[in-house]
């Protein structure tokens, strides 16, 4: 049986999820797309063979042919669509962040716990990226010993026009926070966020440095630089007691010409994480069809946002901020 998927949001990620569901995922078909810009919803639906389009995400959720929902609308709208999907008893893959605030993320967690069924997966797709998976597996094999430091960098070409200074942490940095928690499988104890003074003017995409302390004492340093200009790049190196493991550049070729050697950078995350998005969607469709959820759950979604909030607070107060998460419900105990 093929499951019917509805996608809320026909922007960059909504359109990309539509392409993947329509052409690269088994066991699912695209039923409908919604977008506040109805013409954009119509075009995206037509392009990827969805029968229906809506201007209103609520109507898409109510569509009886939609078995499960992908939420890829602007961050601030996520939680309302998540709650509406829970009410309709439909499984949902919500793009990150689950919500821009910890309070709203917790609301989604509480609603899911109350309903008693696992319905929410959050789109932290790096958990499906083959390189990160190998990093985690290598760490777990024990050959490198215990992890001590994690170096991370997250660079984009330029900030979109809706970007706020906090978004470097709450929209982009949340990926780093999630992957760190997942890689080393422990909780964040404290965060220190700082901006280099050298850039003078404060543009939303200016660099930010996070120093993340994990419960065991392990440290992660994270550079987030959204206006980096040259390309999209994500770096990660895990330093352990007996060696290190590092993400390699994934470009398939290098070009030699005029006494130079060059390797291209993708313009954004879709190229770098193409496999991760596809594997994530397939895993989620398998979950919709009755399998086990293997991605980030609502609790992980809440934790990433709460830790990001501590980072924003640290930047504001110019001091280290301890992370205090709510009590984790037993409902999420197996993760
Ligand atoms: C964007 O929203 C994403 O989700 C990308 O994966 C991330 O790298 C980028 O920084 C975000 O703005």
């Amino acid at each position: 049986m093929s499951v019917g998927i509805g996608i809320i949001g026909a922007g960059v990620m909504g359109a990309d999820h539509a392409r993947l569901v329509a052409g690269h995922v088994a066991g699912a078909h695209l039923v409908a797309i919604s977008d506040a810009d109805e013409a954009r919803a119509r075009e995206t639906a037509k392009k990827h063979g969805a029968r229906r389009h809506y201007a209103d995400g609520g109507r898409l959720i109510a569509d009886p042919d939609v078995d499960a929902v992908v939420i890829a609308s602007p961050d601030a709208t996520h939680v309302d669509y998540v709650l509406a999907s829970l009410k309709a008893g439909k499984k949902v893959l919500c793009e990150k962040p689950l919500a821009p605030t910890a309070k709203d993320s917790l609301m989604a967690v509480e609603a899911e716990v109350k309903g008693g069924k696992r319905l929410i997966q959050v789109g932290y797709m790096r958990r499906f990226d083959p390189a990160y998976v190998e990093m985690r597996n290598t760490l777990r094999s024990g050959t490198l010993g215990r992890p001590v430091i994690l170096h991370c960098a997250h660079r984009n070409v330029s900030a979109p026009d809706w970007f706020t200074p906090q978004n470097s942490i709450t929209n982009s940095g949340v990926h780093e926070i999630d992957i760190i928690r997942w890689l080393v499988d422990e909780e964040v104890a404290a965060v220190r966020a700082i901006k280099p003074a050298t850039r003078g003017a404060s543009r939303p995409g200016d660099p930010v440095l996070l120093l993340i302390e994990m419960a065991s004492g392990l440290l992660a340093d994270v550079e987030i630089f959204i206006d980096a200009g040259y390309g999209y790049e994500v770096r990660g190196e895990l330093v352990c007691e007996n060696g290190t493991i590092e993400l390699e550049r994934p470009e398939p070729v290098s070009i030699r010409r005029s006494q130079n050697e060059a390797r291209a950078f993708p313009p954004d995350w879709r190229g770098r994480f193409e496999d991760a998005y596809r594997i994530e969607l397939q895993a989620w469709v398998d979950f919709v069809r009755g399998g086990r959820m293997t991605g980030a759950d609502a609790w992980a979604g809440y934790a990433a946002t709460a830790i990001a909030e501590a980072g924003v607070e640290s930047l504001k107060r110019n001091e280290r901020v301890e992370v205090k998460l709510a009590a984790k419900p037993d409902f999420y105990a197996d993760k």
Side-chain angles (χ1 to χ4, degrees):
M1 189 203 58
S2 168
V3 289
I5 306 297
I7 299 181
I8 300 179
V12 173
M13 280 321 300
D16 208 49
H17 285 312
R19 174 182 71 82
L20 290 170
V21 171
H24 301 272
V25 169
H29 58 280
L30 196 58
V31 171
I33 309 277
S34 77
D35 196 283
D37 177 346
E38 196 172 351
R40 186 159 80 159
R42 188 187 316 113
E43 270 166 42
T44 310
K46 195 168 159 214
K47 182 165 176 197
H48 298 291
R51 274 173 277 157
R52 273 166 240 151
H53 69 273
Y54 298 104
D56 171 16
R59 288 189 58 208
L60 178 141
I61 294 168
D63 184 327
D65 293 330
V66 169
D67 297 308
V69 181
V70 175
I71 301 171
S73 48
D75 295 0
T77 65
H78 288 180
V79 75
D80 285 343
Y81 289 132
V82 166
L83 295 176
S85 302
L86 294 187
K87 221 168 170 185
K90 298 189 179 180
K91 288 182 176 162
V92 51
L93 174 63
C94 177
E95 261 304 333
K96 42 54 62 180
L98 176 55
T101 64
K103 188 167 156 265
D104 283 357
S105 309
L106 204 53
M107 208 155 76
V109 164
E110 283 163 359
E112 183 177 47
V113 172
K114 196 164 166 217
K117 266 197 228 150
R118 290 281 182 121
L119 296 179
I120 307 172
Q121 183 173 323
V122 184
Y124 284 113
M125 79 298 178
R126 290 186 185 185
R127 293 178 179 218
F128 297 93
D129 176 65
Y132 275 116
V133 169
E134 191 164 340
M135 198 181 245
R136 188 175 194 251
N137 289 343
T138 305
L139 180 62
R140 295 195 151 198
S141 75
T143 49
L144 298 181
R146 282 183 309 168
V148 284
I149 290 185
L150 187 53
H151 302 292
C152 311
H154 182 138
R155 301 189 187 136
N156 286 17
V157 174
S158 60
D161 52 9
W162 50 264
F163 223 68
T164 67
Q166 295 75 24
N167 279 160
S168 289
I169 303 177
T170 61
N171 179 275
S172 299
V174 283
H175 275 298
E176 305 299 328
I177 293 167
D178 180 69
I179 207 69
I180 293 167
R181 291 180 70 248
W182 178 79
L183 276 173
V184 300
D185 203 14
E186 59 172 290
E187 207 41 90
V188 173
V191 189
R192 173 86 166 96
I194 187 164
K195 282 192 171 204
T198 46
R199 297 262 295 190
S202 186
R203 288 189 305 179
D206 277 352
V208 184
L209 212 55
L210 299 181
L211 184 63
I212 298 182
E213 293 170 36
M214 306 304 286
S216 66
L218 182 145
L219 293 177
D221 59 87
V222 181
E223 172 205 314
I224 307 161
F225 187 8
I226 304 302
D227 275 341
Y230 68 88
Y232 182 78
E233 186 178 19
V234 167
R235 291 202 205 163
E237 183 186 17
L238 185 56
V239 181
C240 304
E241 290 167 324
N242 307 324
T244 82
I245 177 162
E246 186 169 7
L247 300 177
E248 273 303 328
R249 296 268 311 277
E251 295 68 38
V253 295
S254 59
I255 296 174
R256 296 183 184 85
R257 185 172 162 265
S258 308
Q259 297 85 52
N260 266 301
E261 178 178 325
R263 290 161 77 184
F265 285 97
D268 68 34
W269 51 91
R270 287 169 295 176
R272 165 63 182 85
F273 288 110
E274 166 84 16
D275 287 345
Y277 282 117
R278 185 179 40 74
I279 300 168
E280 171 191 57
L281 270 169
Q282 185 63 66
W284 177 67
V285 164
D286 295 345
F287 162 60
V288 171
R289 299 178 74 205
R292 206 171 64 82
M293 190 203 292
T294 52
D297 59 16
W299 180 258
Y302 155 73
T305 293
I307 295 159
E309 240 173 32
V312 171
E313 190 58 24
S314 165
L315 205 54
K316 204 164 77 193
R317 301 201 328 232
N318 194 21
E319 60 186 30
R320 172 183 177 275
V321 170
E322 276 182 24
V323 172
K324 293 194 179 75
L325 298 182
K328 185 173 178 177
D330 290 344
F331 183 79
Y332 299 104
D334 59 325
K335 282 288 238 166

